[in-house]
Amino acid sequence: MTRNVASPCQPDDACGVSVSNETDAKADHSRYVQRVRRRYADLLNLLPPLPASSSERVSAPDFTALKHAYERLRDPEHGGHDTGAALRVLRQLVLERMAVLDVEHQAPLQTICQGMTTLAEFALETACSDALATLDAIHGPANKADGTRCKFWVLGMGKLGARELNVSSDIDLIYVYEEDGETAGDAQGRHRISNHEYFAKAVRAMGGLLADVTEHGFVFRVDLALRPNGNSGPTACSLDALEAYFHAQGREWERLAWLKSRVVAPRARIEDSSGKRDDSVMALRALVTPFVFRRYLDYNVFEALRVLHRQIREHANKRSAGRPERSNDVKLSRGGIREIEFIVQLLQVVRGGQFPELRTRPTLTALQRLAAAGLMPAATAAALAEAYVFLRKVEHRIQYLDDQQTHVLPTQDADLRWIARSLGYLGSRGCGSDICDFLTQLDAHREVVAQEFDTLLGNRAPGPDKDCRRCSRPADAALSFENLRAHLPVDLHERYDLWRGQPRVQSLSETAQGRLLRLLERSALMLKLAPQGADAVIRPEPTATLAYTRLLDWLEPLLRRESYLALLLERPAVHERLLRLLAAARWPARYLLLHPGVIDELAGRELLTARFDPIAFENELETRRKALRDTGDGDEEALLNLLRRAHHAEVFRTLARDVEGHLSVEQVADDLSALADAVLRVSTRWCWDALRKKHRTEPGDGPQIGVIGYGKLGGKELGYGSDLDIVFVYEDAHEDAPEVYALLVRKLVNWLTVKTGEGDLYEIDTALRPNGNSGLLITSFDAYANYQQQRGSNTAWTWEHQAMTRARFVLGAEALRERFDAVRETVICAARDPHGLRDEILGMRERVRLAHAVPEGQFDVKQSAGGMMDVEFAVQFLVLSQSAHHHELRRNSGNIALLHAAEAAGLVPTKVGAAAANAYRELRRIQHQARLDEVTPQVPLAQVQSERAAVLALWAAVFESDKGL
């Protein structure tokens, strides 16, 4: 697949806004800035100086600069403030600096957000150190059962976690400690308390240092509502309690909140003095990641988010009732910041389990990655990013005015004009005034956001399924298993009754049963099994009842994963395509049962028009492997599952295009063969990287091996579920090479064949290697060449040379590929007695035919006389007997192309080769459909009389005439 990479508006650009340095667009329009300058004029220089020119690059004060300013505020020379006062004054100084950087220096959004985030991290670090030191002096440190200190984490959620804090934001925090236990007590062992009490006291102390309002204001408002059990839960919880909450009570909307979670204090828990990451943080992440990102696609979160958004919208409407000015809320109103965040977080949560690169916190970064992964059009990502930057800049200017936590546009013209002009709107954009230009742009951005949000979430009110508007059930009638049965055809009743009696169906929750019934009702309508009106008559298509039965079979084992029901209900187009697949053949239904996660591939915009792209496939896998490593999840099992999910998805895409009639049998084989090649390349690289013992360790040094494909892999004729016939060779003079490459090949074969929770990849057959199953798993290329070219006493049989006609170099260095091609050409062009060769091939063909008996009156499209096997043996004989004189037969171009080449060379009579080629194509099509239907590829003899006659004519021309010899 070709992925579109977006170039969304970055946080360091102005998103199309022409910036002005008009004199009335100064920070001192802010009433808050005026107050700070009046009260703290002599302290403003504690922060690093601003650049002399507004055109120079600017940056916000970093952690070191904040620490230096804080220490000076503690110094008696600058007031000797205590911890809380020093933090509050520091906050006033930083906020004034942010206003100047943003308005007068046009600092990028990221600079402002990072500046506020750094202030929050410094304040939390300082408050945490102060609170724990005080508690340690009274109660001693909190300890674990083994006597070591119990670790403690302060998690930043929301914008703090994503480093996107706004200039008047509160901070969402969750406090977690390692395990329950008891403190050590003071020096005399007194005043011991439980760890739970200790950390609850720490939370209270930190809250007071940060949020209490004093003469210097506050540092940050603190919100603990996102903790487990919300405001009714403990202010700090243990890891065990957090894990139990995730498993038993964690709600869908909480997954979006935890998506942005990040340890922000104490710094010792983030990294040690050398900068090394603390392992305990990774353990906490290992707990959070599976809660946020599910192994399977999960659309349950759609409805949860839809309900949450509806509540937020209703609350905003109530606030603005009678106060129309409050409807201009750039965060909560329609098309506001919250809707952009919901769009991005929803897609991250739904797809992040399969796309690890989406596990990022910043909104703008996530937009880029969604577009790069093909989950959002590039233009959409760019438009949302531009709107996000614009709305966040407006939000900051609203908050600069009075340091109020508000997102509502001011009503005073002077304030609106200041916001407009500080963003570069000077009344030159068609409206005639700066305010008008600004509001026009604001409305345009919000409309884009609102449309995308409504498209994604459907933004519908609860009510009857819209797809049932024409069914005979009244809209207000309760949907039940009984009345659904009454509207199904009679011949489905027995199967339906058996299915609904299954324990999995009976044990569903009321909500899940409602979803299931709506899905089954809509399925019946789509398949025209249910009446489309009160007086309608049911006339189902022949395949409709079969599709419905297969749907029931597919749903029954998956009912515990309610996310699949949610997916189909949320995506009617996916539902409709699924039903077409189930109706088409039995194998797609079984594949969906084995790999249900592939169903979301049906939602792809380019599903039916695209073809497999091996370069894009490999690049995506490497991107996801890097993302797994970056998040600490890149162990061997994760990589095995990553490969399998990617492989299954590509097979399913090809299958969907196949049964929808968008690919020919040859194109299906081409794509499946290219996929196998790509999987072999990726697996070999990853196995080599994971191999501990290897002699080639320099960067860029890869294994000096070759993978040779035989049979269907070699001929690029793979089908669904085909195994891979492979021979491994190496060309490396190092003394450790035989041992190292044997380890590599064993690991590679295991990677390809082992069954994990995601299934397997391929069955591997190495019987065509020199000496078959009694030979070495991998041999030197020289030994392989000698064996094939009849050098020495240990040489290949004729049937092995027949296999060589379809052999192909799949993987390895170009020099080794050239050597293989030379050996192959030598083998197939070798001088042979044509009569002896014919006798050997005919003997082999007869043994194969006798081993596959066919019922009388039936024709096996592969094994019967006049079938595909006759074509293949005839072509192999022509290649081995004639390639020395006919160069065009040496190419491994497939049986159809070789038949045309043989006819063109005069090796078979005119039209005989072409007729046999057409017959072979039709027999392959019949075989392919039989495999999809999971039946034996046998048909009535009368159905293929012309094809059989064409193949028998070829057989006679090749083996029964002197011309063939």
Side-chain angles (χ1 to χ4, degrees):
M1 292 179 301
T2 301
R3 301 296 194 190
N4 293 322
V5 180
S7 300
C9 183
Q10 295 301 302
D12 57 350
D13 62 38
C15 295
V17 175
S18 175
V19 175
S20 167
N21 287 319
E22 293 291 316
T23 56
D24 58 353
K26 295 294 184 182
D28 60 8
H29 177 87
S30 159
R31 292 172 285 277
Y32 170 72
V33 169
Q34 295 171 23
R35 291 196 300 270
V36 172
R37 290 178 177 178
R38 282 197 300 269
R39 181 165 187 183
Y40 302 108
D42 58 334
L43 298 178
L44 291 173
N45 62 359
L46 295 182
L47 295 178
L50 286 164
S53 170
S54 61
S55 62
E56 294 182 38
R57 182 182 179 85
V58 294
S59 61
D62 60 16
F63 197 94
T64 301
L66 295 179
K67 183 178 181 182
H68 177 70
Y70 169 80
E71 290 171 348
R72 294 182 68 185
L73 287 168
R74 297 295 306 272
D75 192 303
E77 181 182 347
H78 294 92
H81 300 86
D82 61 23
T83 300
L87 287 175
R88 283 159 174 75
V89 174
L90 181 63
R91 188 251 184 193
Q92 310 286 5
L93 304 181
V94 170
L95 207 57
E96 188 272 347
R97 175 60 59 85
M98 294 299 104
V100 173
L101 291 176
D102 198 352
V103 175
E104 298 180 10
H105 292 261
Q106 298 298 319
L109 173 64
Q110 186 178 11
T111 298
I112 305 304
C113 293
Q114 183 60 59
M116 293 306 300
T117 301
T118 303
L119 174 64
E121 291 172 348
F122 175 78
L124 285 164
E125 176 69 17
T126 304
C128 187
S129 298
D130 187 274
L132 296 184
T134 301
L135 288 170
D136 284 356
I138 301 172
H139 303 289
N143 289 333
K144 299 190 295 184
D146 61 6
T148 60
R149 179 149 195 156
C150 181
K151 293 178 180 178
F152 175 59
W153 301 276
V154 181
L155 275 72
M157 311 292 282
K159 287 185 169 62
L160 174 58
R163 296 185 173 88
E164 296 173 333
L165 216 55
N166 64 47
V167 294
S168 190
S169 178
D170 58 6
I171 51 177
D172 295 298
L173 301 176
I174 294 179
Y175 296 93
V176 181
Y177 59 92
E178 201 166 5
E179 66 180 52
D180 288 315
E182 189 178 60
T183 65
D186 61 12
Q188 289 75 40
R190 299 173 300 177
H191 307 302
R192 292 182 178 178
I193 57 175
S194 69
N195 287 356
H196 176 77
E197 294 175 281
Y198 175 93
F199 290 115
K201 288 176 179 288
V203 171
R204 285 197 297 273
M206 291 178 65
L209 280 171
L210 296 173
D212 285 354
V213 179
T214 72
E215 61 173 316
H216 297 291
F218 57 88
V219 188
F220 284 98
R221 306 173 191 88
V222 176
D223 191 340
L224 304 183
L226 292 176
R227 68 186 186 271
N229 295 303
N231 291 328
S232 63
T235 54
C237 68
S238 67
L239 276 178
D240 286 345
L242 179 63
E243 183 175 16
Y245 179 81
F246 282 161
H247 283 298
Q249 300 180 58
R251 290 160 290 183
E252 298 298 335
W253 67 263
E254 289 180 284
R255 293 168 58 198
L256 275 72
W258 280 91
L259 166 67
K260 291 181 178 285
S261 64
R262 176 174 63 91
V263 175
V264 293
R267 287 170 71 85
R269 294 282 76 82
I270 303 173
E271 60 185 27
D272 59 23
S273 57
S274 66
K276 182 180 178 182
R277 180 178 291 175
D278 189 291
D279 289 341
S280 65
V281 174
M282 301 305 295
L284 179 60
R285 179 182 289 175
L287 190 66
V288 173
T289 298
F291 171 67
V292 177
F293 303 108
R294 303 295 165 81
R295 176 180 168 188
Y296 298 101
L297 291 167
D298 190 357
Y299 278 74
N300 282 319
V301 72
F302 269 76
E303 186 58 31
L305 186 57
R306 191 178 287 120
V307 171
L308 177 61
H309 181 261
R310 191 179 303 124
Q311 293 170 347
I312 293 172
R313 184 73 65 80
E314 289 172 356
H315 176 68
N317 291 339
K318 288 179 182 178
R319 287 181 66 245
S320 61
R323 300 285 299 275
E325 71 277 4
R326 289 185 175 178
S327 63
N328 281 319
D329 189 315
V330 298
K331 179 179 180 181
L332 300 180
S333 293
R334 182 175 182 272
I337 296 167
R338 178 60 55 83
E339 291 192 355
I340 300 175
E341 293 170 341
F342 276 179
I343 291 170
V344 174
Q345 292 168 23
L346 181 61
L347 292 173
Q348 286 182 277
V349 167
V350 170
R351 301 305 297 262
Q354 294 186 314
F355 290 74
E357 65 270 27
L358 300 183
R359 301 173 193 175
T360 186
R361 301 179 185 92
T363 301
L364 291 170
T365 303
L367 278 168
Q368 288 181 304
R369 296 186 181 183
L370 285 167
L375 301 175
M376 178 182 287
T380 300
L384 291 177
E386 186 173 342
Y388 181 79
V389 173
F390 178 88
L391 293 171
R392 289 298 308 274
K393 283 177 172 284
V394 173
E395 174 191 47
H396 284 167
R397 281 152 176 75
I398 293 171
Q399 295 173 347
Y400 290 139
L401 288 170
D402 295 293
D403 187 27
Q404 295 296 309
Q405 191 183 15
T406 179
H407 314 278
V408 177
L409 285 177
T411 56
Q412 298 296 319
D413 283 353
D415 291 341
L416 275 175
R417 181 170 292 108
W418 176 74
I419 291 175
R421 297 184 77 82
S422 72
L423 288 170
Y425 295 93
L426 308 178
S428 58
R429 301 183 178 221
C431 285
S433 79
D434 39 23
I435 296 176
C436 182
D437 281 347
F438 162 66
L439 293 178
T440 300
Q441 185 65 71
L442 174 63
D443 288 345
H445 282 308
R446 288 171 60 177
E447 186 59 31
V448 167
V449 173
Q451 288 182 8
E452 290 300 327
F453 183 83
D454 291 344
T455 298
L456 181 64
L457 267 184
N459 209 24
R460 59 178 182 261
D465 194 323
K466 62 182 178 65
D467 292 293
C468 290
R469 60 190 180 277
R470 294 180 298 156
C471 62
S472 59
R473 176 176 60 87
D476 59 349
L479 180 61
S480 67
F481 286 112
E482 287 74 19
N483 59 33
L484 175 59
R485 180 184 188 274
H487 292 103
L488 292 176
V490 174
D491 56 354
L492 267 176
H493 286 184
E494 182 179 355
R495 179 68 186 87
Y496 177 79
D497 291 340
L498 180 64
W499 176 83
R500 61 177 283 202
Q502 294 293 324
R504 285 194 181 101
V505 178
Q506 295 296 315
S507 62
L508 286 175
S509 66
E510 184 178 347
T511 300
Q513 278 198 12
R515 282 179 174 172
L516 177 60
L517 285 167
R518 292 200 305 275
L519 182 66
L520 292 175
E521 183 180 44
R522 192 167 73 186
S523 299
L525 287 168
M526 288 178 170
L527 293 168
K528 299 181 179 178
L529 293 172
Q532 303 292 307
D535 301 321
V537 177
I538 304 174
R539 293 188 179 89
E541 295 291 330
T543 57
T545 54
L546 186 59
Y548 202 82
T549 300
R550 288 172 178 167
L551 176 69
L552 295 177
D553 292 339
W554 181 73
L555 283 173
E556 194 267 330
L558 298 174
L559 290 177
R560 286 177 294 182
R561 300 178 191 163
E562 295 180 19
S563 58
Y564 290 111
L565 301 183
L567 164 61
L568 294 175
L569 286 171
E570 290 289 342
R571 309 294 289 272
V574 174
H575 185 189
E576 192 167 6
R577 280 183 178 174
L578 171 66
L579 293 176
R580 288 204 300 270
L581 269 175
L582 294 175
R586 185 177 298 162
W587 196 84
R590 189 166 66 86
Y591 195 79
L592 278 164
L593 277 171
L594 290 172
H595 311 295
V598 301
I599 186 177
D600 197 59
E601 300 303 324
L602 293 175
R605 292 183 299 275
E606 299 179 350
L607 172 68
L608 299 181
T609 57
R611 292 283 300 276
F612 174 65
D613 182 343
I615 296 176
F617 176 80
E618 292 187 49
N619 287 342
E620 286 179 22
L621 279 172
E622 294 296 347
T623 297
R624 289 175 197 166
R625 178 169 74 147
K626 181 180 183 301
L628 285 172
R629 286 179 167 178
D630 290 344
T631 58
D633 300 321
D635 59 16
E636 185 165 303
E637 183 180 3
L639 295 181
L640 287 170
N641 287 332
L642 174 61
L643 269 173
R644 280 151 180 74
R645 283 193 295 269
H647 170 265
H648 300 334
E650 288 296 345
V651 170
F652 187 69
R653 291 186 191 111
T654 300
L655 176 63
R657 294 163 192 155
D658 179 11
V659 299
E660 293 271 11
H662 290 265
L663 296 179
S664 66
V665 174
E666 289 84 359
Q667 288 173 322
V668 170
D670 287 343
D671 286 0
L672 292 177
S673 301
L675 173 61
D677 291 357
V679 169
L680 284 168
R681 287 192 295 270
V682 173
S683 300
T684 301
R685 284 198 303 270
W686 291 5
C687 286
W688 180 254
D689 290 345
L691 202 65
R692 294 180 180 177
K693 180 178 180 180
K694 51 189 175 188
H695 58 290
R696 303 176 62 84
T697 58
E698 293 299 319
D701 274 356
Q704 300 300 297
I705 69 168
V707 176
I708 302 168
Y710 283 80
K712 287 184 170 59
L713 175 63
K716 295 186 179 180
E717 293 181 353
L718 283 184
Y720 303 114
S722 293
D723 59 5
L724 304 184
D725 294 300
I726 292 176
V727 169
F728 298 98
V729 296
Y730 71 88
E731 188 173 45
D732 191 329
H734 195 282
E735 61 182 0
D736 293 334
E739 180 185 0
V740 170
Y741 293 139
L743 290 172
L744 173 62
V745 169
R746 281 196 292 271
K747 187 176 189 68
L748 176 59
V749 171
N750 181 68
W751 267 52
L752 295 170
T753 58
V754 67
K755 291 186 182 298
T756 72
E758 298 289 346
D760 59 3
L761 290 170
Y762 296 100
E763 290 297 321
I764 303 298
D765 189 342
T766 59
L768 286 170
R769 66 187 187 269
N771 299 307
N773 290 327
S774 63
L776 297 172
L777 193 57
I778 182 170
T779 60
S780 70
F781 186 81
D782 286 342
Y784 170 82
N786 289 337
Y787 179 84
Q788 294 291 348
Q789 295 176 108
Q790 310 291 337
R791 297 173 183 164
S793 58
N794 184 29
T795 59
W797 297 78
T798 297
W799 67 265
E800 292 177 281
H801 286 171
Q802 287 179 253
M804 182 65 94
T805 65
R806 304 182 73 191
R808 177 171 62 90
F809 194 84
V810 173
L811 180 155
E814 186 59 32
L816 195 56
R817 178 190 302 275
E818 292 173 359
R819 289 195 64 191
F820 166 77
D821 288 343
V823 169
R824 178 181 177 277
E825 185 166 326
T826 299
V827 169
I828 64 176
C829 293
R832 292 179 174 86
D833 172 21
H835 295 280
L837 177 64
R838 181 186 64 179
D839 292 343
E840 285 193 63
I841 289 180
L842 289 177
M844 174 66 71
R845 176 68 185 101
E846 186 61 21
R847 288 193 293 273
V848 171
R849 184 180 292 117
L850 291 174
H852 295 84
V854 179
E856 186 176 352
Q858 290 292 104
F859 180 82
D860 189 304
V861 298
K862 182 175 183 180
Q863 302 293 346
S864 292
M868 294 166 60
M869 190 70 76
D870 281 2
V871 175
E872 292 166 2
F873 271 69
V875 170
Q876 290 165 13
F877 174 75
L878 289 170
V879 169
L880 291 177
S881 64
Q882 302 294 335
S883 287
H885 310 293
H886 296 276
H887 188 274
E888 60 272 24
L889 296 181
R890 300 174 190 176
R891 293 179 62 246
N892 183 3
S893 53
N895 291 311
I896 292 175
L898 289 170
L899 283 171
H900 286 292
E903 182 178 303
L907 298 176
V908 294
T910 302
K911 297 185 179 180
V912 168
N918 291 334
Y920 184 74
R921 180 180 286 112
E922 175 60 16
L923 294 175
R924 277 188 67 185
R925 188 196 64 76
I926 294 171
Q927 181 193 51
H928 182 72
Q929 186 59 48
R931 287 176 174 171
L932 287 177
D933 289 330
E934 295 189 326
V935 296
T936 56
Q938 296 176 0
V939 296
L941 187 59
Q943 180 180 331
V944 288
Q945 284 285 17
S946 62
E947 287 79 13
R948 178 175 180 271
V951 173
L952 291 177
L954 172 70
W955 185 266
V958 172
F959 291 111
E960 298 172 7
S961 70
D962 292 337
K963 190 172 185 178
L965 301 177

